[in-house]
């Protein structure tokens, strides 16, 4: 009846502390949002309110361990309503159910023979990017990683290697990413409204591509098809049902968005730490550590 809540404040009604949170993001100092409150409340956990939802933020490795080791026990996946608007499912199942199905599907797809083929493609793309930046005196790793990761995602998920098309998809994903991290206000002119429209257009385009892929696979042998779409067309959910074209398209948009906005940050951090730890850098340089395989696993999961 009287739950013990962590210290903190929810700020203004509806808005909460969202404006300050986004302000810190734009300044590139998001960690200050956490550290200031952690120091203020002398606590490793505090409560706040972001994009219209009450939240508790855990500030240390111990909190992360608790969350990730107790999934479906003490904690479970939760998505804000914005996610359902941007990535709607045809059968109205909650996104948590689709997340479980997707993890199961990825585990099935990433067999040794398939993974081996992906590593070759990934290595070729990496070499292309290294050649482009080889003569540069200064390289912005964040931008380079973003371009590399998104192209890799387009090839592995969609089988698309046309740079013009990849650039077009990247603009759409940027629009979705902006709406995803905005206030949940859906009316003309807002970032969320633009993102919803963009997501719908991309899903319709992917559905058309999926229908064409079905025709191609019926004519040609599917044994050589190793992109994500081809595997999803032959995969089934826990009930033995094939995924609908709408659901596959929705999952593809979500995967592209996820790989674009999160993984490139991880890659950038990896490069930063390689410059700080010379022994690890030298190990990678000598080929003793296959960082390419590690990067690929980050993209897929």
């Amino acid at each position: 009846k009287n739950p013990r809540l962590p210290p903190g404040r929810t700020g203004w009604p509806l808005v909460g502390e969202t404006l300050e949170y986004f302000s810190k993001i734009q300044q590139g100092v998001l960690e200050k949002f956490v550290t200031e409150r952690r120091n203020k409340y002398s606590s490793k956990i505090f409560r706040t309110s972001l994009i219209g939802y009450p939240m508790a933020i855990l500030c240390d490795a111990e909190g992360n361990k608790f969350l990730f080791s107790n999934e479906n026990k003490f904690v479970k996946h939760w998505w804000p309503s914005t996610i359902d608007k941007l990535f709607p499912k045809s059968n109205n199942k909650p996104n948590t159910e689709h997340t479980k199905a997707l993890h199961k599907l990825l585990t099935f797809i990433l067999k040794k023979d398939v993974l081996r083929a992906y590593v070759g493609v990934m290595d070729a793309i990496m070499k292309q990017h290294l050649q482009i930046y080889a003569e540069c005196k200064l390289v912005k790793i964040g931008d380079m990683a973003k371009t590399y990761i998104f192209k890799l995602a387009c090839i592995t998920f969609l089988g698309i290697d046309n740079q013009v098309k990849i650039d077009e998809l990247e603009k759409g994903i940027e629009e979705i990413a902006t709406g995803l991290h905005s206030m949940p206000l859906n009316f003309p002119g807002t970032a969320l409204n633009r993102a919803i429209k963009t997501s719908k257009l991309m899903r319709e385009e992917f559905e058309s591509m999926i229908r064409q892929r079905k025709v191609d696979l019926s004519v040609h042998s599917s044994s050589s098809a190793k992109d994500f779409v081809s595997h999803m067309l032959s995969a089934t959910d826990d009930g033995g049902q094939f995924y609908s074209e709408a659901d596959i398209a929705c999952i593809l948009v979500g995967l592209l968005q996820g790989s674009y906005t999160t993984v490139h940050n991880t890659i950038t951090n990896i490069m930063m730490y390689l410059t700080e730890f010379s022994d690890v850098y030298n190990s990678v340089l000598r080929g003793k550590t296959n960082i390419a395989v590690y990067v690929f696993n980050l993209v897929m999961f």
Side-chain angles (χ1 to χ4, degrees):
K1 294 182 179 179
N2 298 301
R4 182 167 159 242
L5 299 176
R9 58 188 295 270
T10 55
W12 294 93
L14 297 180
V15 177
E17 296 185 305
T18 305
L19 297 180
E20 184 177 355
Y21 180 80
F22 284 155
S23 175
K24 291 291 192 294
I25 291 179
Q26 293 176 351
Q27 296 173 32
V29 290
L30 179 58
E31 68 278 1
K32 287 187 177 181
F33 182 87
V34 176
T35 56
E36 288 174 358
R37 286 156 179 76
R38 182 178 60 190
N39 295 335
K40 178 180 180 180
Y41 303 119
S42 300
S43 173
K44 296 180 180 179
I45 177 174
F46 63 87
R47 74 176 187 270
T48 182
S49 177
L50 302 176
I51 58 173
Y53 296 96
M55 297 185 181
I57 295 183
L58 284 68
C59 307
D60 60 357
E62 185 180 358
N64 280 342
K65 182 179 180 180
F66 170 80
L67 290 176
F68 290 109
S69 61
N70 288 287
E71 185 178 340
N72 297 323
K73 296 178 183 178
F74 302 122
V75 294
K76 63 180 181 179
H77 277 106
W78 167 84
W79 302 98
S81 59
T82 304
I83 295 292
D84 289 316
K85 293 176 181 177
L86 290 172
F87 311 109
K89 303 300 187 295
S90 62
N91 54 12
N92 295 321
K93 284 185 178 181
N95 268 287
T96 51
E97 294 299 320
H98 283 270
T99 300
K100 295 177 183 178
L102 181 58
H103 276 274
K104 180 179 178 180
L105 180 62
L106 287 173
T107 303
F108 172 78
I109 290 174
L110 291 182
K111 295 181 178 179
K112 289 184 179 180
D113 56 335
V114 180
L115 181 60
R116 190 177 299 113
Y118 282 139
V119 171
V121 172
M122 180 177 53
D123 184 62
I125 298 174
M126 175 62 78
K127 289 179 179 178
Q128 291 176 10
H129 281 282
L130 291 177
Q131 291 174 355
I132 293 173
Y133 296 98
E135 302 300 325
C136 297
K137 294 183 179 179
L138 179 65
V139 177
K140 293 184 177 180
I141 295 297
D143 294 340
M144 179 184 176
K146 187 182 296 184
T147 303
Y148 166 65
I149 290 298
F150 193 74
K151 183 172 183 178
L152 179 60
C154 286
I155 292 176
T156 54
F157 296 151
L158 307 174
I160 295 177
D161 194 14
N162 184 299
Q163 190 59 51
V164 175
K165 186 60 180 177
I166 291 175
D167 293 340
E168 179 184 326
L169 291 174
E170 186 174 3
K171 291 180 181 179
I173 292 299
E174 285 181 344
E175 192 79 66
I176 294 174
T178 301
L180 182 63
H181 298 97
S182 66
M183 290 294 294
L185 302 175
N186 182 19
F187 53 84
T190 63
L192 177 58
N193 184 262
R194 293 193 297 269
I196 291 174
K197 291 180 179 179
T198 301
S199 176
K200 181 180 179 181
L201 291 174
M202 291 186 69
R203 295 197 311 273
E204 291 174 349
E205 181 179 352
F206 287 170
E207 286 185 47
S208 177
M209 180 193 70
I210 291 166
R211 287 191 289 269
Q212 182 59 48
R213 187 65 56 85
K214 282 184 176 180
V215 175
D216 295 339
L217 291 175
S218 65
V219 176
H220 305 286
S221 173
S222 61
S223 60
S224 60
K226 290 183 171 60
D227 59 87
F228 191 81
V229 176
S230 301
H231 284 290
M232 285 208 71
L233 288 173
S234 60
T236 58
D237 59 21
D238 291 336
Q241 300 294 318
F242 288 102
Y243 290 90
S244 68
E245 295 170 359
D247 281 345
I248 295 176
C250 184
I251 289 174
L252 289 173
V253 175
L255 285 172
L256 287 178
Q257 192 277 327
S259 65
Y260 183 78
T261 57
T262 58
V263 180
H264 80 268
N265 289 328
T266 304
I267 303 303
T268 303
N269 286 333
I270 290 175
M271 298 302 295
M272 180 184 71
Y273 287 126
L274 284 175
T275 64
E276 296 180 359
F277 297 95
S278 59
D279 56 334
V280 178
Y281 170 81
N282 291 329
S283 178
V284 173
L285 189 64
R286 291 194 301 269
K288 292 184 177 181
T289 302
N290 195 335
I291 194 171
V293 173
Y294 176 61
V295 168
F296 178 76
N297 285 329
L298 287 173
V299 174
M300 296 301 288
F301 290 103

